[in-house]
Amino acid sequence: MNDEMSRFIEKEREELKGEFCRGCGYCMPCPVGIEINNCARMSLLLRRSPSELQLTPEVRKKMRKIEECIRCNQCREKCPYELDTPTLLLKNYEDYKNILAGKTIV
């Protein structure tokens, strides 16, 4: 392993630590129809896959569903990683709106 690989691993570790959704789907279904397993990890999808795939009208519509969240916490109770899913959804939605507004992806 060299310094470049070490820096890459550290960057990956930093990006993936903490509260990130693994997309397992145990939180589903949502009573208001939010596609939680994709919406809760949108920030990662935007940065780790071709972002144009996440900026289509269909995905925008799915992300807007987050506005309808009733904070029933059913998703949170079902999450095997004990994530605060409603808060994670809101954070990802804010990030998504910033990207749509033209703010730089970091």
Side-chain angles (χ1 to χ4, degrees):
M1 181 165 0
N2 59 28
D3 287 343
E4 181 181 353
M5 182 59 75
S6 293
R7 284 190 299 275
F8 175 78
I9 290 170
E10 188 55 38
K11 180 180 178 285
E12 293 287 298
R13 181 178 290 137
E14 195 62 32
E15 189 172 313
L16 296 174
K17 75 177 185 180
E19 280 204 340
F20 87 94
C21 175
R22 288 130 179 108
C24 68
Y26 288 117
C27 56
M28 302 289 285
C30 171
V32 298
I34 299 168
E35 194 176 287
I36 300 166
N37 56 336
N38 286 320
C39 293
R41 58 193 183 117
M42 185 55 66
S43 292
L44 287 174
L45 293 172
L46 285 166
R47 289 163 178 82
R48 299 178 71 81
S49 67
S51 59
E52 62 272 2
L53 298 175
Q54 310 308 327
L55 301 173
T56 65
E58 294 82 15
V59 176
R60 290 176 190 208
K61 184 177 178 181
K62 288 178 183 181
M63 289 301 288
R64 275 194 304 273
K65 288 291 284 181
I66 295 171
E67 295 173 0
E68 299 175 26
C69 179
I70 57 175
R71 297 192 68 84
C72 66
N73 286 314
Q74 288 182 31
C75 53
R76 186 177 185 173
E77 292 166 6
K78 294 183 225 174
C79 180
Y81 301 100
E82 300 179 346
L83 296 176
D84 180 356
T85 314
T87 300
L88 191 57
L89 284 167
L90 291 174
K91 286 179 182 177
N92 277 268
Y93 188 43
E94 285 304 311
D95 184 52
Y96 191 77
K97 290 188 296 186
N98 285 333
I99 298 302
L100 291 176
K103 296 191 178 171
T104 305
I105 296 179
V106 179

